[in-house]
């Protein structure tokens, strides 16, 4: 088959892949409930988390100055036993996720207003936006 | 063509690309627009296509990506510096792979081939850059790397790559460089060619660092 026929066919296939992926991402997007966040399979109220967990101010290696609630306190508040023995998968509403260690959680905050996790010691790639859930793995 | 001329071209186009990534890319990122896909499809791929059409030299775009990646990395403001720098550096390499075959000559393509190759290039360069940076950033930064995270994010990558693909298709269709113009630029007198190339490159680096 000629290159002139194959190339447009590949281009169309890629655009179709992109279109189907967009439909999939949009249809599987989890709705953000502003008042709650799911941690360790429990739906926790943000207002209760704010009362029980420390406020922290951090200056990440990636730059800037941020304030939010301590991620390790949130995990402890959710009742996870032996938190240092687990990993934590942070999920965004669009399916983007990052798995981090307990040591990273100790160096991280959750900005409630923007629903973003920020870590002092990790690249910005790990700053998951529109967080809907933190899974304990 | 002499090696030094090509080297000056690599530095010039790579610096332009890096500066645009730092200035326009960060602006789009802060506006919440698809910065990565737009910058790859229009700017990165556009500059690589222009340089390939003008110089017709393979390997040049690999060097451009490395120069742009370094400039992005030393620019201390905006999104993820390390992630972006790694992605940009590899985008040049992916371009070289896609356009390796001598059969794919931009100067001899009809509009359908140009649009199609633009879509393929934009889509694959963006997707590959995204995947590579998701693997290499944690490795370089000594951060945790779990491939299950990458599997989960693949639909997001394929979705946003559509923008890069469409942008690539438009860019390659729009890049029109008359061959006599390309010849005049690439074969300009050395008294003009080198000072202009290095002055523009220096402007890009100094301007980006001052703007930071």
């Amino acid at each position: 088959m000629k290159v002139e026929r194959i190339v447009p066919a590949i281009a169309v296939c890629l655009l179709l892949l992109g279109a189907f992926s967009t439909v999939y991402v949009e249809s599987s997007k989890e709705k953000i409930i502003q008042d709650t966040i799911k941690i360790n399979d429990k739906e926790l109220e943000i207002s209760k988390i704010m009362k029980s967990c420390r406020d922290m101010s951090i200056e990440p290696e990636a730059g800037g100055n941020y304030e939010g609630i301590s991620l390790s306190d949130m995990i402890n508040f959710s009742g996870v036993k032996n938190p240092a023995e687990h990993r934590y998968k942070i999920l965004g509403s669009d399916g983007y996720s990052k798995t981090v260690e307990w040591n990273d959680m100790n160096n991280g905050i959750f900005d409630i207003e923007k629903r973003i996790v920020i870590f002092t010691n990790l690249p910005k790639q790990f700053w998951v936006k529109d967080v809907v859930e933190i899974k304990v793995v | 063509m002499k090696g030094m001329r090509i080297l000056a071209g690599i530095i010039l186009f790579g610096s332009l690309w890096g500066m645009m990534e730092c200035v326009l890319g960060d602006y789009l990122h802060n506006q919440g627009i698809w910065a990565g896909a737009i910058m790859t499809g229009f700017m990165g791929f556009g500059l690589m296509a222009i340089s390939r059409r003008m110089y017709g030299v393979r390997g040049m775009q690999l060097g451009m990506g490395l120069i742009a990646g370094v400039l992005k990395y030393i620019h201390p403001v905006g999104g993820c510096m390390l992630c972006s720098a790694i992605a940009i550096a590899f985008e040049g390499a992916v371009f070289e792979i896609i356009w390796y075959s001598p059969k794919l000559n931009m100067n001899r393509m009809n509009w359908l081939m140009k649009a199609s190759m633009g879509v393929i290039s934009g889509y694959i360069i963006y997707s590959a850059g995204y995947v590579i940076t998701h693997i290499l950033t944690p490795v370089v930064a000594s951060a945790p790397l779990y491939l299950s995270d990458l599997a989960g994010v693949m639909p997001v990558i394929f979705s946003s790559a559509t923008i890069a693909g469409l942008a690539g298709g438009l860019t390659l269709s729009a890049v029109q460089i008359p061959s006599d113009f390309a010849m005049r630029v690439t074969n300009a007198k050395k008294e003009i060619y080198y000072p202009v190339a290095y002055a523009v490159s220096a402007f890009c680096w100094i301007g980006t660092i001052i703007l930071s």
Side-chain angles (χ1 to χ4, degrees):
Chain A
M1 201 186 280
K2 279 188 171 182
V3 176
E4 284 78 10
R5 286 185 185 177
I6 296 171
V7 168
I10 294 172
V12 169
C13 287
L14 288 176
L15 289 178
L16 283 174
L17 174 65
F20 286 128
S21 299
T22 304
V23 171
Y24 173 80
V25 168
E26 289 301 319
S27 61
S28 60
K29 224 173 199 175
E30 286 199 42
K31 203 176 176 187
I32 297 171
I33 304 164
Q34 286 298 340
D35 305 338
T36 63
I37 181 167
K38 201 172 178 184
I39 304 176
N40 193 21
D41 290 328
K42 292 175 191 167
E43 209 67 60
L44 302 174
E45 285 179 36
I46 296 281
S47 57
K48 286 184 181 170
I49 291 174
M50 284 173 75
K51 280 179 192 170
S52 310
C53 304
R54 278 176 300 154
D55 272 329
M56 272 172 65
S57 178
I58 59 168
E59 284 183 19
E61 287 168 11
N65 196 319
Y66 300 89
E67 285 182 12
I69 296 171
S70 160
L71 278 173
S72 53
D73 281 11
M74 285 171 69
I75 295 298
N76 288 328
F77 178 73
S78 72
V80 176
K81 286 177 185 170
N82 304 319
E85 292 174 9
H86 299 284
R87 295 195 303 265
Y88 301 90
K89 186 169 191 163
I90 301 160
L91 288 122
S93 63
D94 60 356
Y96 186 93
S97 69
K98 276 287 170 190
T99 305
V100 298
E101 314 278 348
W102 176 245
N103 180 44
D104 304 314
M105 296 299 269
N106 279 316
N107 293 307
I109 58 163
F110 176 58
D111 182 329
I112 291 169
E113 231 171 80
K114 294 176 184 165
R115 289 191 81 98
I116 181 172
V117 290
I118 299 161
F119 298 96
T120 54
N121 59 328
L122 296 176
K124 282 190 176 176
Q125 192 186 83
F126 285 79
W127 299 12
V128 181
K129 290 175 190 166
D130 297 327
V131 176
V132 288
E133 185 178 0
I134 299 175
K135 276 186 181 174
V136 181
V137 288
Chain B
M1 197 176 294
K2 284 180 184 171
M4 287 307 287
R5 274 186 184 263
I6 295 165
L7 182 64
I10 291 171
I11 295 170
L12 170 65
F13 280 97
S15 303
L16 283 170
W17 182 6
M19 184 184 73
M20 294 310 289
E21 286 280 353
C22 295
V23 179
L24 185 59
D26 285 351
Y27 173 76
L28 293 174
H29 181 80
N30 292 335
Q31 299 299 313
I33 304 168
W34 311 284
I38 290 174
M39 289 309 295
T40 299
F42 285 117
M43 201 54 62
F45 174 63
L47 285 170
M48 287 193 283
I50 288 170
S51 63
R52 176 60 69 94
R53 288 196 71 169
M54 285 180 69
Y55 291 83
V57 176
R58 278 188 282 176
M60 198 177 164
Q61 290 67 38
L62 176 68
M64 282 171 59
L66 292 172
I67 298 277
V70 170
L71 184 50
K72 180 73 179 175
Y73 184 67
I74 63 159
H75 166 68
V77 186
C80 180
M81 293 308 113
L82 184 59
C83 331
S84 310
I86 290 173
I88 292 166
F90 276 89
E91 281 174 1
V94 178
F95 179 96
E96 294 288 356
I97 294 166
I98 294 171
W99 291 89
Y100 182 77
S101 171
K103 286 181 185 174
L104 298 171
N105 187 337
M106 286 179 199
N107 297 317
R108 292 188 203 141
M109 286 178 178
N110 61 28
W111 72 269
L112 181 61
M113 272 294 282
K114 274 187 197 168
S116 303
M117 278 306 294
V119 167
I120 293 169
S121 301
Y123 197 98
I124 293 178
I125 289 171
Y126 176 81
S127 305
Y130 205 135
V131 170
I132 289 166
T133 197
H134 261 258
I135 295 168
L136 287 186
T137 300
V139 173
V140 173
S142 305
L145 168 64
Y146 296 101
L147 291 178
S148 59
D149 289 340
L150 183 61
V153 85
M154 287 311 287
V156 179
I157 297 174
F158 290 146
S159 170
S160 50
T162 314
I163 306 291
L166 292 172
L170 286 172
T171 302
L172 197 56
S173 306
V175 170
Q176 301 289 342
I177 301 168
S179 54
D180 59 331
F181 173 77
M183 286 284 284
R184 276 210 305 273
V185 172
T186 55
N187 293 313
K189 284 182 184 172
K190 65 179 182 182
E191 290 81 7
I192 298 170
Y193 181 87
Y194 290 107
V196 169
Y198 291 133
V200 174
S201 305
F203 170 79
C204 293
W205 284 77
I206 295 166
T208 304
I209 291 164
I210 289 173
L211 275 172
S212 306

